[in-house]
Amino acid sequence: MSSVATASSGVSTPNDTRAGASTPWRRVIFGAGVGNALEWYDWSVYAVFAPFFAQQFFDATNAVSAMLSTLAVFAVGFVMRPLGGIFFGWFADRLGRQRAMVVSMAVTALGSLFIAVAPTYPSVGLVASALLLFARLAQGFGIGGEIGASYTYLAEAAPARRRGLWSSSMYVAVTIGVLLATVQAAALQGVLTDEQMTAWGWRIPFALGAVLGIYAFYLRRGLPETTAFSNARDTPEPEKQSMLRGIWENRIAVLRVVGLTVGGTVLFYTWAIGATNYAITVKGIDPDGALWAGVIANLVYIAALPVWGAVSDRWGRKTNLVIFSVGLGALSFPLNWLIQGSVWQLGLAMSVALVVHAAVASILPAMFAEMFPARVRASGMALPYSIAVAVAGGTAPYLRTYLAEAGMPSAFTWYTILLLAVGLVVIASMPETKGKKLE
């Protein structure tokens, strides 16, 4: 098939390799993307509400120590992502993309539920701290499995000529998750007192995350498996191989995933997640104004993503990659200079940066899936992507703020430009994969 309209009609052709030729395309896209939305919702909720629940899980007599312990538990979630990527990548390549999405979603939802109903430190002591740690380990493990399973599922389900457009829905979901957490935080802080937020208000977003996870679990259970996986599963046993051997044989593609991920991840964390906090703490911008500037910029980002996905379907994935790397490389210093102390400056800088960033974010599921054969597609992309995100993305906001406070704000900008240059080297060495048939 060659059009989204055909996909939604339920009509199939003999050569159709997409999941669910009779399944509405909206259901496929929503089912695959809902886990990524929940992932970033949970990530943002924990970061935003940490000041309110830190003393509920650790010794309240030392507020600073409690907060640091809470943030340390948050960091542990990133450590679990590569392990989740390894396990669920193997799971998706051996037992099915759809099954891996269902199980990873269940694990993530359970993590949110545990936090929502966990007893507090004053009532059970260190057991509360242990439960928070366990919940974050579960969330990190489940979230690590999202990438390989959901990215692969969506790419294999999409029509080849619309794969970039379908792929863009993943970061739309990611951004919706961030916005949902941000708007919810603003609303709760507007209607509840600090005492209420500390006592029980912080439980509300985690409970909502658990409910959304349960809904996503049942939604994904009804999705069909992809034909590409079914064909790979039917491969004669002698031709099958271990996950590690498959990754080794595709090591060039693995390295390309790392090289293309580090720059995009750092710049996403910098502009979509960390820019508002940086503007508040370093530039002295009003917190409420910075929050809404971030909301508007992320709405602009959502609008730009499908446009760039469609561009890649017409002009190729490498076109998007070059525009992203060269564009943000050239704009990095001007955009950072633009943020001086006004809300409109922050909003404009974030919006421009995210519009350019959308060029790469829109095509990640399609591009990574097109690099690997079906038998190792999920694990091949999940492992290097999870490691790159954990190492590069998790340190970006801290590194930017630290260098700014040390009087070296330009050092972080040069760091991002260096990562973009690494991406350009990778782009120059890789073939164009637009429209590739996924078998």
Side-chain angles (χ1 to χ4, degrees):
M1 290 189 193
S2 61
S3 70
V4 174
T6 307
S8 65
S9 69
V11 180
S12 61
T13 69
N15 296 320
D16 192 353
T17 60
R18 292 175 297 105
S22 61
T23 304
W25 64 272
R26 292 178 184 84
R27 186 181 173 197
V28 172
I29 289 176
F30 187 70
V34 68
N36 287 270
L38 183 61
E39 166 193 352
W40 284 90
Y41 170 83
D42 285 336
W43 190 95
S44 302
V45 159
Y46 192 103
V48 170
F49 287 89
F52 295 105
F53 66 77
Q55 297 179 47
Q56 300 293 322
F57 289 99
F58 297 95
D59 187 359
T61 59
N62 190 332
V64 174
S65 177
M67 187 62 191
L68 290 175
S69 298
T70 303
L71 294 177
V73 171
F74 176 66
V76 170
F78 276 93
V79 176
M80 291 298 293
R81 288 179 65 144
L83 298 179
I86 293 172
F87 174 79
F88 283 105
W90 168 84
F91 192 113
D93 284 333
R94 292 296 178 267
L95 302 176
R97 290 58 162 120
Q98 183 263 353
R99 289 182 181 178
M101 289 198 303
V102 169
V103 177
S104 67
M105 176 61 25
V107 172
T108 303
L110 283 174
S112 293
L113 180 61
F114 282 172
I115 296 176
V117 302
T120 62
Y121 188 93
S123 61
V124 296
L126 289 176
V127 173
S129 307
L131 287 174
L132 179 65
L133 175 61
F134 175 78
R136 282 301 296 169
L137 291 174
Q139 284 183 324
F141 190 73
I143 287 169
E146 267 295 310
I147 298 302
S150 62
Y151 278 27
T152 301
Y153 185 88
L154 183 63
E156 291 181 347
R161 291 180 59 188
R162 296 290 184 272
R163 193 177 295 131
L165 179 60
W166 283 42
S167 171
S168 68
S169 66
M170 279 298 183
Y171 260 80
V172 170
V174 164
T175 311
I176 289 174
V178 173
L179 287 175
L180 178 59
T182 302
V183 172
Q184 184 179 194
L188 287 174
Q189 291 184 60
V191 299
L192 299 179
T193 65
D194 286 346
E195 291 74 17
Q196 290 172 324
M197 287 288 291
T198 301
W200 52 268
W202 61 268
R203 295 185 185 272
I204 295 175
F206 291 105
L208 179 59
V211 171
L212 292 175
I214 293 170
Y215 169 71
F217 173 84
Y218 284 103
L219 179 68
R220 286 181 164 183
R221 284 189 63 188
L223 293 175
E225 187 54 81
T226 67
T227 304
F229 168 75
S230 299
N231 291 340
R233 179 184 55 194
D234 295 337
T235 299
E237 195 64 33
E239 297 181 23
K240 295 182 178 179
Q241 55 189 195
S242 69
M243 180 187 72
L244 292 179
R245 181 181 175 187
I247 290 176
W248 174 251
E249 290 185 354
N250 292 274
R251 57 191 177 276
I252 300 300
V254 168
L255 292 175
R256 284 172 177 162
V257 170
V258 173
L260 294 173
T261 298
V262 288
T265 296
V266 168
L267 285 161
F268 179 76
Y269 276 74
T270 298
W271 289 107
I273 304 297
T276 53
N277 183 61
Y278 173 82
I280 293 168
T281 58
V282 177
K283 297 296 184 178
I285 293 179
D286 173 67
D288 289 338
L291 171 68
W292 288 110
V295 169
I296 292 171
N298 276 280
L299 290 173
V300 171
Y301 188 49
I302 289 175
L305 285 163
V307 175
W308 282 116
V311 167
S312 79
D313 285 328
R314 183 176 181 88
W315 301 108
R317 318 297 186 219
K318 295 181 70 171
T319 298
N320 281 39
L321 293 174
V322 171
I323 291 173
F324 158 70
S325 298
V326 175
L328 274 184
L331 290 171
S332 289
F333 275 105
L335 291 177
N336 278 284
W337 173 85
L338 178 60
I339 305 175
Q340 295 299 323
S342 299
V343 171
W344 74 265
Q345 293 170 334
L346 173 64
L348 179 60
M350 289 183 67
S351 296
V352 172
L354 290 177
V355 165
V356 181
H357 186 276
V360 67
S362 61
I363 62 172
L364 290 182
M367 179 176 62
F368 289 163
E370 290 162 350
M371 292 181 181
F372 296 93
R375 68 181 184 275
V376 72
R377 184 167 291 139
S379 52
M381 75 166 73
L383 177 58
Y385 183 87
S386 297
I387 292 174
V389 169
V391 173
T395 59
Y398 174 85
L399 183 61
R400 186 187 193 190
T401 302
Y402 173 80
L403 291 173
E405 294 288 356
M408 300 183 293
S410 62
F412 184 81
T413 305
W414 282 116
Y415 168 63
T416 61
I417 292 174
L418 175 62
L419 295 180
L420 291 171
V422 170
L424 279 174
V425 173
V426 175
I427 295 165
S429 68
M430 62 185 287
E432 177 57 63
T433 57
K434 173 180 74 76
K436 180 180 180 180
K437 186 177 180 181
L438 300 183
E439 299 180 353

